[in-house]
Amino acid sequence: MEGCAVRLDRRDFLRSCGGCLAAVAASGLAAPARAQARLSGADIPDHEAMFWDPAESQRVQCQLCPRKCRVDDLERGYCGVRENKGGKYVTRVWGAACAVNVDPIEKKPFFHFLPGSNAFSLATAGCNVDCAFCQNWEISQTRPEQVDVYSLPPRDAAASAAQSRARTVAFTYSEPVVFYEYMYDTALAAREKGLRAVMVSNGYIQEKPLVQLCGALDAIKVDLKSFREKYYKEVCSGELAPVLDSLKLIHAQGKWLEIVYLMVPTLNDGEAEIAELCDWVARELGPDVPLHFTRFHPMYRLTRLPSTPVASLERALELGRKAGLHFVYLGNVPGHPSESTRCPSCGAVVVRRVGYTVLEVALKSGSCKACGKPVAGVWT
């Protein structure tokens, strides 16, 4: 999961939504600022949820994620944001943002999607898993009534994104699957403004909603937590198999896909596990799907573990290359040579990066300037 600006006070929120107000004013464009009234719990409007079925005795069956929560009247699903009200399932986070920021797209990270551009990034409260290492647990492991929430309906979010000069709206920080309806409507509103839309997700979602979502998004980054069911169950309260299904489905839908794997010392960094993961990606998704191995730092409920040794990450890098993957990166290691993208045909650097900064793009119409061969990605 990408690190984020978490709880916002009103001043921070307005600054973020204004999206580089000073830059906009200097350009002579109209001032953005779309509203953003602070919402109390009672003020958050209900919005009918998608993907659920009625059940007996006013219960509902959620069909959004693999948990398939059966929810009694006046109760909520595991995510804490979808509620049964008299036999009707509603979402409590439509238009209710708790984190907004303008980030480099490389921070998500997307390395092969509009490099060097900015993403207007937003989140609501809630998640459908509970990772012991979560960076953003203050918003992901809470309900919308327990954090500062501001009104930012989809069209206002899209307008603010356009005025911030971001090229993309990114749904990120917490788990966008749980604010599906808000994400979907905002992605469509962003498209009307000529913007792209991307999701940073755990990939824990059912097939039908994912297929529909792919029609609204331009790229998806999935945080693959491990290549072992045991880890998913014990460390994340989730399941591996549905996530692997999602990865294959996203790729089959033709959406640009990148994968991040947070390497946690002693828990998911074994050489055999990493090798199996790399082989699976090469076999099921192909060599052009970027795979980012990211450095863990002590966080949330895993403060007893050390940071990932760089040597472990470099072993993973070699395993990825050995499996035939064209694009393997190391994350949270600023200045490492693997931050830059190389042409798989001739080895020339085609995107030179340091941290989140893009120093050079040596591509012409999506092809390497040195050898002329195409490089996989969405470059313009």
Side-chain angles (χ1 to χ4, degrees):
M1 180 181 290
E2 175 202 1
C4 81
V6 287
R7 296 182 182 183
L8 300 175
D9 60 24
R10 178 170 173 76
R11 178 181 298 175
D12 291 338
F13 188 85
L14 289 170
R15 184 187 301 127
S16 299
C17 289
C20 307
L21 280 169
V24 172
S27 73
L29 298 176
R34 304 276 159 185
Q36 307 94 30
R38 183 173 179 173
L39 300 174
S40 69
D43 293 332
I44 299 174
D46 291 338
H47 188 91
E48 183 166 358
M50 302 165 70
F51 306 106
W52 62 278
D53 294 322
E56 73 288 347
S57 303
Q58 286 197 323
R59 292 190 180 92
V60 300
Q61 171 102 52
C62 187
Q63 301 291 356
L64 180 58
C65 92
R67 291 189 181 280
K68 297 185 178 180
C69 294
R70 290 178 68 84
V71 185
D72 287 327
D73 188 20
L74 300 180
E75 297 291 337
R76 295 189 185 183
Y78 182 94
C79 61
V81 305
R82 292 162 74 86
E83 181 173 329
N84 179 353
K85 288 196 170 180
K88 179 180 177 182
Y89 212 29
V90 301
T91 170
R92 299 283 295 148
V93 289
W94 190 92
C98 69
V100 178
N101 218 349
V102 179
D103 297 326
I105 195 78
E106 283 75 18
K107 187 180 176 184
K108 304 301 145 191
F110 281 103
F111 276 15
H112 291 237
F113 190 87
L114 305 180
S117 66
N118 282 334
F120 183 88
S121 308
L122 63 86
T124 76
C127 189
N128 57 355
V129 298
D130 181 12
C131 299
F133 48 79
C134 184
Q135 298 178 63
N136 300 325
W137 59 272
E138 290 178 290
I139 59 172
S140 69
Q141 301 305 316
T142 192
R143 294 188 171 201
E145 296 83 358
Q146 297 169 318
V147 292
D148 288 336
V149 169
Y150 294 86
S151 175
L152 188 63
R155 289 193 178 280
D156 288 353
S160 291
Q163 288 163 333
S164 76
R165 293 184 170 177
R167 296 183 66 186
T168 302
V169 176
F171 308 101
T172 180
Y173 303 143
S174 56
E175 177 44 57
V177 166
V178 309
F179 60 88
Y180 185 100
E181 297 80 6
Y182 183 31
M183 170 171 53
Y184 186 80
D185 291 348
T186 303
L188 296 182
R191 182 173 291 172
E192 291 177 1
K193 295 282 186 184
L195 303 175
R196 314 283 180 88
V198 303
M199 175 174 72
V200 175
S201 173
N202 59 28
Y204 200 50
I205 182 173
Q206 291 204 53
E207 179 179 344
K208 185 176 178 181
L210 180 55
V211 169
Q212 183 166 334
L213 187 61
C214 282
L217 297 179
D218 298 283
I220 298 175
K221 190 216 81 180
V222 171
D223 290 306
L224 181 61
K225 316 289 185 180
S226 167
F227 207 61
R228 296 285 185 267
E229 285 286 1
K230 184 173 185 289
Y231 180 98
Y232 260 87
K233 181 179 179 181
E234 295 179 355
V235 181
C236 303
S237 300
E239 303 168 89
L240 169 63
V243 178
L244 297 183
D245 290 342
S246 292
L247 287 168
K248 290 190 284 187
L249 181 58
I250 294 165
H251 185 63
Q253 291 288 313
K255 291 297 150 186
W256 183 253
L257 169 66
E258 302 197 21
I259 299 171
V260 164
Y261 187 95
L262 180 70
M263 286 183 60
V264 183
T266 74
L267 296 183
N268 69 351
D269 62 343
E271 188 164 322
E273 180 177 356
I274 299 297
E276 289 174 35
L277 160 66
C278 294
D279 289 342
W280 185 89
V281 172
R283 181 177 68 253
E284 299 292 342
L285 307 178
D288 287 334
V289 172
L291 177 57
H292 304 251
F293 290 107
T294 302
R295 192 180 195 193
F296 161 86
H297 294 296
M299 190 74 65
Y300 192 29
R301 299 198 307 271
L302 284 186
T303 55
R304 63 184 170 79
L305 294 177
S307 297
T308 315
V310 173
S312 298
L313 293 159
E314 290 177 334
R315 280 199 296 274
L317 179 71
E318 291 306 313
L319 289 169
R321 289 172 175 168
K322 184 179 177 182
L325 299 178
H326 291 163
F327 308 108
V328 187
Y329 301 99
L330 301 188
N332 291 342
V333 190
H336 196 278
S338 70
E339 288 181 325
S340 293
T341 300
R342 291 184 175 275
C343 171
S345 298
C346 71
V349 173
V350 292
V351 182
R352 190 179 305 278
R353 301 181 185 84
V354 175
Y356 301 139
T357 302
V358 172
L359 303 177
E360 176 189 11
V361 177
L363 291 163
K364 184 177 181 181
S365 302
S367 296
C368 172
K369 281 187 176 179
C371 71
K373 297 291 179 61
V375 179
V378 179
W379 305 111
T380 58

